[in-house]
Amino acid sequence: MERVVIVGAGLAGGRTVVELREQGYTGQITLIGAEPHLPYDRPPLSKAVLTGRTDSTQLPYGLHDLDGVELLLGRHATGLEPGAVHTDAGPVTYDALVIASGSAPIRLPGAPGQRVLRTIDDSLALRQALRPGARLVIVGAGWIGAEVATVAAKLGAEVTVVEGGGHPLAPLGREVGGHAVHWYEEAGVTLRVDAMVDKIGEDGLLLAGGEFVPADEIVVGVGARPDVGWLAGCGLVVERGVVVDEHLLAGWAPDTPGAPGAAPVLAVGDCAAWWSVRYGQRMRVEHWDTAQTAPAAAATTLLGLAAGRPVGDLPVYNPVPYFWSEQFGRMVQFAGLPADDAHLVFRGDPTARKEPDAKKAPGWSAGWFAPDGTLTALVTVARPIDMVAGRRLLAADARPDQAQFADPAVPLKALLEG
Ligand SMILES: Cc1cc2nc3c(=O)[nH]c(=O)nc-3n(C[C@H](O)[C@H](O)[C@H](O)COP(=O)(O)OP(=O)(O)OC[C@H]3O[C@@H](n4cnc5c(N)ncnc54)[C@H](O)[C@@H]3O)c2cc1C
């Protein structure tokens, strides 16, 4: 394996370089990245960068210093065939390919002036626009919408969040997301739920039903899609992300010329739809933790194959997904995958409000329990200690006593030990 090519110089791409080297790969690595920047972290873009606490989130490893790493930054992969990536600078051949092209934010139809928040450049530009008194309308009360609203309100902007669903934090469901409504109120942010956007204009947006909401700035935070358009029609199996197995190995459609015996292709991070042995289903998550940890598994797979190990002997990538968000003075963390027929058990009072002078918001958590008592997912709000033990309970498929779980005075750690 003389040359590994990585497409995408974000967290997952950057980590893949580091993992390959740390696991002993000494051949050439080519890292192709559409952005002109070295790999950097995105979570601070809606937090520390937006508040002005920092201007750079570059990852703390000097890829320039790593021997044999060729950086093709500001370059786009435009297509793929077995053994070669097509780029806007010509073809790049590979002995192994890791796809780490991430995801791209969804834009709404309408004015070109709408902002999204995905890159460091988006964040620095938005920061300039968050002036005191500026009317900022955010579309989407999800993770990024809430984080931008938090910062903008603190900086004195007049913030309205327009949400098409009935409550914030849609992925967590009404029973949990409904408890986030008062967070907006406390922060002086106007939250409009069940408000579908019909059209975005230059100076505001039109809601379905005809109401016009005026705005100086509009930020759209309605989610992202895997950035895999460049793979269209090449024969690699792509279905809402690059389809990979439990070793992160992708496959070619059977009639693809040159596919039999072709050099391995893997995918990691936001763009990878991996087979989860733990959950018995395909998973694709847009979480920092996945982009951070999958590259170690990808490097192990690649080096194992290069050493002639049979695929069946390779370790399985089998994480419990984990995500965090910082909004309205609360650290919100989520882990696991709620079973379809799970019921919720709360731990602490989700309706408790933050006193105006209080330093900390009241904390609470909630667990999704399957009918057989297995804890399948956990959300913690301003209770990070619960998440530390909670992730261990989830990884162990534990069935903690639900009455004890519901008592915030009982440390979750105690349930793990019991
Ligand atoms: C504002 C913001 C805040 C976030 N906050 C949190 C948080 O608090 N907690 C959390 O868990 N997660 C958070 N996330 C999500 C987390 O940052 C992502 O899951 C993570 O960045 C994914 O890393 P990645 O390397 O897979 O993809 P990306 O970070 O998207 O990197 C992919 C890179 O590939 C490049 N690329 C795409 N197509 C091509 C191509 N054809 N050729 C060459 N290069 C290409 C892209 O330009 C990009 O630089 C946040 C994301 C954003 C945007």
PDB file of all heavy atoms in Angstrom, residues 191-203:
ATOM      1  N   LEU A 191     -39.493  32.519  20.103  1.00  0.00           N
ATOM      2  CA  LEU A 191     -39.556  31.218  19.409  1.00  0.00           C
ATOM      3  C   LEU A 191     -40.926  31.073  18.766  1.00  0.00           C
ATOM      4  O   LEU A 191     -41.951  31.164  19.443  1.00  0.00           O
ATOM      5  CB  LEU A 191     -39.313  30.087  20.418  1.00  0.00           C
ATOM      6  CG  LEU A 191     -39.526  28.670  19.883  1.00  0.00           C
ATOM      7  CD1 LEU A 191     -38.469  28.318  18.834  1.00  0.00           C
ATOM      8  CD2 LEU A 191     -39.454  27.649  21.030  1.00  0.00           C
ATOM      9  N   ARG A 192     -40.942  30.863  17.445  1.00  0.00           N
ATOM     10  CA  ARG A 192     -42.198  30.627  16.741  1.00  0.00           C
ATOM     11  C   ARG A 192     -42.216  29.163  16.304  1.00  0.00           C
ATOM     12  O   ARG A 192     -41.406  28.760  15.468  1.00  0.00           O
ATOM     13  CB  ARG A 192     -42.268  31.520  15.483  1.00  0.00           C
ATOM     14  CG  ARG A 192     -42.072  33.013  15.754  1.00  0.00           C
ATOM     15  CD  ARG A 192     -43.361  33.657  16.190  1.00  0.00           C
ATOM     16  NE  ARG A 192     -44.457  33.357  15.305  1.00  0.00           N
ATOM     17  CZ  ARG A 192     -44.843  34.141  14.290  1.00  0.00           C
ATOM     18  NH1 ARG A 192     -44.229  35.279  14.055  1.00  0.00           N
ATOM     19  NH2 ARG A 192     -45.861  33.797  13.520  1.00  0.00           N
ATOM     20  N   VAL A 193     -43.100  28.363  16.888  1.00  0.00           N
ATOM     21  CA  VAL A 193     -43.167  26.951  16.477  1.00  0.00           C
ATOM     22  C   VAL A 193     -44.316  26.756  15.486  1.00  0.00           C
ATOM     23  O   VAL A 193     -45.139  27.646  15.309  1.00  0.00           O
ATOM     24  CB  VAL A 193     -43.320  25.995  17.688  1.00  0.00           C
ATOM     25  CG1 VAL A 193     -42.082  26.036  18.561  1.00  0.00           C
ATOM     26  CG2 VAL A 193     -44.564  26.320  18.494  1.00  0.00           C
ATOM     27  N   ASP A 194     -44.348  25.591  14.855  1.00  0.00           N
ATOM     28  CA  ASP A 194     -45.352  25.300  13.813  1.00  0.00           C
ATOM     29  C   ASP A 194     -45.381  26.412  12.770  1.00  0.00           C
ATOM     30  O   ASP A 194     -46.441  26.765  12.254  1.00  0.00           O
ATOM     31  CB  ASP A 194     -46.753  25.128  14.423  1.00  0.00           C
ATOM     32  CG  ASP A 194     -46.822  23.919  15.349  1.00  0.00           C
ATOM     33  OD1 ASP A 194     -46.238  22.870  14.979  1.00  0.00           O
ATOM     34  OD2 ASP A 194     -47.406  24.026  16.434  1.00  0.00           O
ATOM     35  N   ALA A 195     -44.232  26.977  12.477  1.00  0.00           N
ATOM     36  CA  ALA A 195     -44.159  28.096  11.533  1.00  0.00           C
ATOM     37  C   ALA A 195     -43.305  27.666  10.342  1.00  0.00           C
ATOM     38  O   ALA A 195     -42.073  27.645  10.430  1.00  0.00           O
ATOM     39  CB  ALA A 195     -43.557  29.311  12.220  1.00  0.00           C
ATOM     40  N   MET A 196     -43.965  27.293   9.266  1.00  0.00           N
ATOM     41  CA  MET A 196     -43.233  26.841   8.075  1.00  0.00           C
ATOM     42  C   MET A 196     -42.843  28.057   7.239  1.00  0.00           C
ATOM     43  O   MET A 196     -43.644  28.968   7.040  1.00  0.00           O
ATOM     44  CB  MET A 196     -44.115  25.926   7.215  1.00  0.00           C
ATOM     45  CG  MET A 196     -44.397  24.573   7.847  1.00  0.00           C
ATOM     46  SD  MET A 196     -42.898  23.633   8.205  1.00  0.00           S
ATOM     47  CE  MET A 196     -42.368  23.227   6.559  1.00  0.00           C
ATOM     48  N   VAL A 197     -41.608  28.029   6.751  1.00  0.00           N
ATOM     49  CA  VAL A 197     -41.151  29.127   5.892  1.00  0.00           C
ATOM     50  C   VAL A 197     -41.568  28.832   4.466  1.00  0.00           C
ATOM     51  O   VAL A 197     -41.314  27.740   3.949  1.00  0.00           O
ATOM     52  CB  VAL A 197     -39.619  29.265   5.978  1.00  0.00           C
ATOM     53  CG1 VAL A 197     -39.114  30.310   4.994  1.00  0.00           C
ATOM     54  CG2 VAL A 197     -39.205  29.609   7.392  1.00  0.00           C
ATOM     55  N   ASP A 198     -42.199  29.816   3.844  1.00  0.00           N
ATOM     56  CA  ASP A 198     -42.611  29.646   2.453  1.00  0.00           C
ATOM     57  C   ASP A 198     -41.494  30.133   1.533  1.00  0.00           C
ATOM     58  O   ASP A 198     -41.117  29.475   0.577  1.00  0.00           O
ATOM     59  CB  ASP A 198     -43.905  30.458   2.242  1.00  0.00           C
ATOM     60  CG  ASP A 198     -44.497  30.210   0.873  1.00  0.00           C
ATOM     61  OD1 ASP A 198     -44.392  29.069   0.406  1.00  0.00           O
ATOM     62  OD2 ASP A 198     -45.039  31.157   0.277  1.00  0.00           O
ATOM     63  N   LYS A 199     -40.938  31.298   1.884  1.00  0.00           N
ATOM     64  CA  LYS A 199     -39.947  31.894   1.002  1.00  0.00           C
ATOM     65  C   LYS A 199     -39.024  32.817   1.778  1.00  0.00           C
ATOM     66  O   LYS A 199     -39.471  33.506   2.693  1.00  0.00           O
ATOM     67  CB  LYS A 199     -40.689  32.711  -0.056  1.00  0.00           C
ATOM     68  CG  LYS A 199     -39.914  32.938  -1.300  1.00  0.00           C
ATOM     69  CD  LYS A 199     -40.768  33.556  -2.376  1.00  0.00           C
ATOM     70  CE  LYS A 199     -39.854  34.155  -3.426  1.00  0.00           C
ATOM     71  NZ  LYS A 199     -40.422  35.275  -4.109  1.00  0.00           N
ATOM     72  N   ILE A 200     -37.778  32.836   1.380  1.00  0.00           N
ATOM     73  CA  ILE A 200     -36.844  33.766   2.017  1.00  0.00           C
ATOM     74  C   ILE A 200     -36.610  34.928   1.072  1.00  0.00           C
ATOM     75  O   ILE A 200     -36.305  34.729  -0.108  1.00  0.00           O
ATOM     76  CB  ILE A 200     -35.520  33.057   2.331  1.00  0.00           C
ATOM     77  CG1 ILE A 200     -35.798  31.937   3.331  1.00  0.00           C
ATOM     78  CG2 ILE A 200     -34.493  34.031   2.860  1.00  0.00           C
ATOM     79  CD1 ILE A 200     -34.640  31.482   4.110  1.00  0.00           C
ATOM     80  N   GLY A 201     -36.758  36.141   1.591  1.00  0.00           N
ATOM     81  CA  GLY A 201     -36.529  37.319   0.746  1.00  0.00           C
ATOM     82  C   GLY A 201     -35.291  38.064   1.213  1.00  0.00           C
ATOM     83  O   GLY A 201     -34.568  37.601   2.100  1.00  0.00           O
ATOM     84  N   GLU A 202     -35.042  39.233   0.603  1.00  0.00           N
ATOM     85  CA  GLU A 202     -33.851  40.023   0.936  1.00  0.00           C
ATOM     86  C   GLU A 202     -33.957  40.608   2.343  1.00  0.00           C
ATOM     87  O   GLU A 202     -32.968  40.717   3.047  1.00  0.00           O
ATOM     88  CB  GLU A 202     -33.695  41.177  -0.063  1.00  0.00           C
ATOM     89  CG  GLU A 202     -33.371  40.736  -1.485  1.00  0.00           C
ATOM     90  CD  GLU A 202     -32.019  40.053  -1.603  1.00  0.00           C
ATOM     91  OE1 GLU A 202     -31.181  40.227  -0.697  1.00  0.00           O
ATOM     92  OE2 GLU A 202     -31.802  39.321  -2.586  1.00  0.00           O
ATOM     93  N   ASP A 203     -35.169  41.007   2.740  1.00  0.00           N
ATOM     94  CA  ASP A 203     -35.316  41.734   4.003  1.00  0.00           C
ATOM     95  C   ASP A 203     -36.260  41.040   4.980  1.00  0.00           C
ATOM     96  O   ASP A 203     -36.873  41.672   5.823  1.00  0.00           O
ATOM     97  CB  ASP A 203     -35.790  43.166   3.729  1.00  0.00           C
ATOM     98  CG  ASP A 203     -37.026  43.176   2.838  1.00  0.00           C
ATOM     99  OD1 ASP A 203     -37.493  42.076   2.467  1.00  0.00           O
ATOM    100  OD2 ASP A 203     -37.537  44.262   2.528  1.00  0.00           O
TER     101      ASP A 203
END
